[in-house]
Amino acid sequence: MADPDPGPVVTFGSLITEGTTLSRRGQYHKALGCFNNALKLRAGDKQCLITRSKCFLKLGDTENSLKDAEASLQRDKAFTEGLYQKAETLYTMGDFEFALVFYHRGRRLRPDQRKFQLGINKAEEAIMNCIGNPASVKLENKEELGFVSRQAESRKNNQKLQTKPTKDQKGMKKKQRVKNPKTERELLGQLYDDKTFLEKLLKDEDLMQTSMRQGGKVEDLVLDGISYLNQRRDFWQQQKPIYARVYERRLLQHRWSGDGQRKPAEVARSIARDMEDIELMLARGSAEESCRKAERVLKKIQGRAEDEVPNKSELIGNLHSCIGNAQVEMGQMEAALRSYRRDLDCARQNALPDSVSRALDNMGRVFARTGRFQQAIDTWEKRIPMAKSSLEKACLFHDIGRCYLELGDAATAQDCGQKSLESADEEGDVEWQLHATVLVAQAQVKLKDYRSAILNFERALEKAKLVPDQAAQNTIIA
């Protein structure tokens, strides 16, 4: 008796493909089922987490979308798709300032991907729409907005602790006001009129007690709206008076320069704040300030004993990397290269493989941007054995192939494109399949293998429709 047909074999790749197709059709709930099953086969897969995050975002579930985006970055902080998805989710949640930070991080890693620049533009525009011209809001020092990211990170936890307000809580909410209405208007911008309108509605007791079709009273809905606007106001409002922060900053500087030793935990917290400020300055476009602050912190840390500064060697390398990133933004490519080399030397001396990989990647990008393609190739090839995922290999082979194409070696460029495509196929990453396929097709054009090139351009066009990427579609058609 013949064995019964076991049916089609369900693989990780087939689930990803099916889920992507369903998502394209707008069947997001069904797509979620595919991605959930795919993650059971390959738990923690970065690309699958990203595709599921996109589904959650389409369904309006920003909390789960953010969780998946953050989970994709857990092991690889430089995963650009995770950075972009986290930025997109934060933007949707209204956390425009923190979204801007992650758009900038992604652009530094992948300056060739236009979507990060578009994200920066729309986040900056949203911030401007919220508060108007920044000159109209008198914040004395840009560094004093460093609390933004910490507040944004903790906001999700605060939301989980919120319960339906009691009568006392409602009364407190009604009384929550900024003492200076002018300041509140500057902070809320056009939303100030909405808040005023909602506060007037609260005075209509009959309307407030009216029940809604979906349950609950109008009062609850109005209070929720006011609460949200208060959160947006507090998001921009300074946490403490300027004089208090100036005093704390002076005290902190005194402690740094003083003879007395500080506890490692206290030093670690101070360093974490400094590193966050350095990144935020760069994200806001203040590359010079970011560079100067990184140099100051580096000098202070180098003067400290090993037991005073946790992970001193790793931190010194990280600061050299931050200085290099700022120098790249300022167009100081040779200076950036020297900073990245210091990062590399520090990483090798202290056996820090992740830092070695970071430094090599940064050096390769400087070489590529300055037209030294062979040096970029030699540098990136050293990273290939360090790659932790097929997706990272796909990116590396693609960039190396691009350099070979620039050097006129189309045959090697085609080979690198094929390797990039194989790695992208292993991950089921449609976007990198697109990039790799385009590279292969362009190499085949140079080799005058036009028939194969046309077939690959057609495949790339189908993948561009899956992503979807309208700009890529137009380029491929052209």
Side-chain angles (χ1 to χ4, degrees):
M1 182 177 177
D3 292 332
D5 185 1
V9 178
V10 177
T11 64
F12 176 80
S14 65
L15 287 169
I16 290 292
T17 302
E18 184 183 355
T20 304
T21 303
L22 289 168
S23 183
R24 267 189 73 203
R25 295 172 181 168
Q27 298 175 337
Y28 302 116
H29 287 289
K30 291 182 178 179
L32 276 179
C34 292
F35 297 138
N36 291 338
N37 290 331
L39 285 168
K40 291 176 184 177
L41 296 176
R42 195 181 293 182
D45 181 84
K46 292 188 295 186
Q47 192 56 42
C48 189
L49 285 168
I50 289 303
T51 50
R52 190 171 72 172
S53 175
K54 290 176 182 178
C55 254
F56 279 129
L57 196 57
K58 290 288 186 182
L59 291 167
D61 189 349
T62 53
E63 185 176 344
N64 279 319
S65 178
L66 188 61
K67 281 181 181 177
D68 276 354
E70 289 175 336
S72 73
L73 293 164
Q74 194 166 6
R75 295 182 182 177
D76 182 7
K77 302 295 183 185
F79 177 43
T80 53
E81 288 304 305
L83 290 171
Y84 181 75
Q85 185 59 22
K86 183 170 182 178
E88 286 284 279
T89 306
L90 288 166
Y91 179 86
T92 304
M93 294 170 71
D95 288 331
F96 307 125
E97 304 80 8
F98 205 31
L100 182 62
V101 172
F102 285 94
Y103 285 130
H104 271 287
R105 287 184 188 176
R107 193 189 67 167
R108 288 202 300 273
L109 291 168
R110 298 295 305 176
D112 56 312
Q113 292 188 5
R114 189 165 172 265
K115 63 185 179 182
F116 286 112
Q117 185 58 54
L118 292 174
I120 290 169
N121 294 343
K122 71 180 183 182
E124 288 178 345
E125 184 180 353
I127 292 169
M128 290 290 287
N129 288 338
C130 284
I131 65 167
N133 190 330
S136 67
V137 183
K138 296 180 181 180
L139 300 178
E140 297 297 328
N141 191 330
K142 290 181 181 179
E143 295 179 30
E144 292 170 2
L145 288 176
F147 72 92
V148 167
S149 60
R150 290 190 290 272
Q151 182 178 358
E153 287 285 9
S154 63
R155 183 174 165 188
K156 302 188 296 295
N157 296 329
N158 292 338
Q159 287 175 339
K160 292 177 183 177
L161 296 175
Q162 288 178 355
T163 56
K164 187 174 181 180
T166 62
K167 290 183 179 180
D168 293 338
Q169 289 172 328
K170 291 176 182 177
M172 289 175 66
K173 285 184 179 180
K174 291 177 185 179
K175 295 177 183 178
Q176 284 178 349
R177 303 282 172 87
V178 174
K179 292 181 180 180
N180 189 343
K182 183 179 179 181
T183 301
E184 185 171 33
R185 180 179 287 278
E186 287 179 341
L187 293 169
L188 285 175
Q190 295 178 351
L191 296 177
Y192 179 79
D193 293 333
D194 296 329
K195 184 170 183 286
T196 304
F197 172 73
L198 291 174
E199 287 172 343
K200 287 180 179 178
L201 285 181
L202 282 176
K203 297 177 182 179
D204 188 338
E205 295 184 2
D206 292 335
L207 176 63
M208 291 302 100
Q209 297 305 314
T210 304
S211 298
M212 297 182 293
R213 291 180 181 178
Q214 60 268 37
K217 295 181 179 179
V218 172
E219 183 182 21
D220 296 329
L221 187 61
V222 172
L223 286 171
D224 285 342
I226 293 174
S227 176
Y228 170 77
L229 292 172
N230 283 337
Q231 286 175 2
R232 298 307 305 156
R233 177 202 66 200
D234 295 340
F235 186 72
W236 285 99
Q237 191 177 21
Q238 300 171 358
Q239 280 186 319
K240 295 179 182 179
I242 291 174
Y243 69 84
R245 278 198 302 278
V246 170
Y247 172 77
E248 288 182 355
R249 188 161 58 250
R250 287 175 181 170
L251 181 61
L252 186 62
Q253 291 171 349
H254 174 73
R255 287 179 178 177
W256 268 113
S257 58
D259 296 329
Q261 289 189 347
R262 299 164 66 192
K263 294 179 180 179
E266 185 181 355
V267 173
R269 284 194 295 271
S270 175
I271 290 170
R273 287 194 294 270
D274 285 332
M275 295 302 293
E276 184 177 289
D277 287 345
I278 290 166
E279 284 201 355
L280 283 169
M281 287 175 190
L282 188 60
R284 295 192 191 104
S286 304
E288 291 183 13
E289 290 182 47
S290 176
C291 188
R292 284 197 295 268
K293 176 145 192 175
E295 288 171 344
R296 288 198 303 269
V297 175
L298 176 62
K299 187 176 179 180
K300 292 171 185 175
I301 289 172
Q302 287 174 329
R304 292 268 166 178
E306 290 283 347
D307 57 349
E308 287 185 76
V309 182
N311 304 318
K312 180 178 177 180
S313 300
E314 185 176 358
L315 188 58
I316 287 173
N318 196 4
L319 282 164
H320 281 305
S321 181
C322 289
I323 292 169
N325 292 339
Q327 289 165 336
V328 167
E329 291 296 317
M330 292 187 286
Q332 301 171 5
M333 296 302 178
E334 295 307 314
L337 200 55
R338 289 193 293 272
S339 295
Y340 291 143
R341 281 184 175 133
R342 293 188 189 105
D343 181 23
L344 181 61
D345 291 340
C346 185
R348 283 174 171 167
Q349 289 169 10
N350 296 282
L352 301 169
D354 289 344
S355 298
V356 169
S357 181
R358 174 189 65 205
L360 288 173
D361 188 53
N362 287 329
M363 289 171 63
R365 299 205 181 286
V366 172
F367 284 135
R369 288 180 68 172
T370 53
R372 289 172 277 186
F373 299 113
Q374 188 58 55
Q375 287 176 276
I377 291 168
D378 296 339
T379 304
W380 278 330
E381 283 180 342
K382 295 174 184 176
R383 283 197 66 221
I384 293 174
M386 304 178 189
K388 294 182 178 180
S389 68
S390 298
L391 193 61
E392 193 174 349
K393 287 181 181 178
C395 177
L396 276 169
F397 282 125
H398 174 271
D399 290 346
I400 292 170
R402 281 267 159 227
C403 288
Y404 275 118
L405 202 59
E406 291 289 341
L407 291 171
D409 189 348
T412 308
Q414 181 183 9
D415 182 54
C416 289
Q418 293 288 2
K419 290 178 180 177
S420 176
L421 183 57
E422 289 170 9
S423 298
D425 286 341
E426 286 180 18
E427 286 286 337
D429 188 298
V430 179
E431 187 164 354
W432 277 104
Q433 288 170 358
L434 165 63
H435 297 321
T437 305
V438 169
L439 174 60
V440 171
Q442 289 175 330
Q444 288 168 339
V445 169
K446 295 286 185 182
L447 294 168
K448 297 184 179 180
D449 185 1
Y450 300 120
R451 186 179 296 276
S452 299
I454 289 171
L455 289 173
N456 277 309
F457 276 129
E458 288 174 347
R459 293 189 187 108
L461 184 59
E462 290 303 313
K463 294 185 185 299
K465 291 175 181 177
L466 279 173
V467 172
D469 188 334
Q470 189 59 49
Q473 291 178 51
N474 296 338
T475 303
I476 292 166
I477 291 169

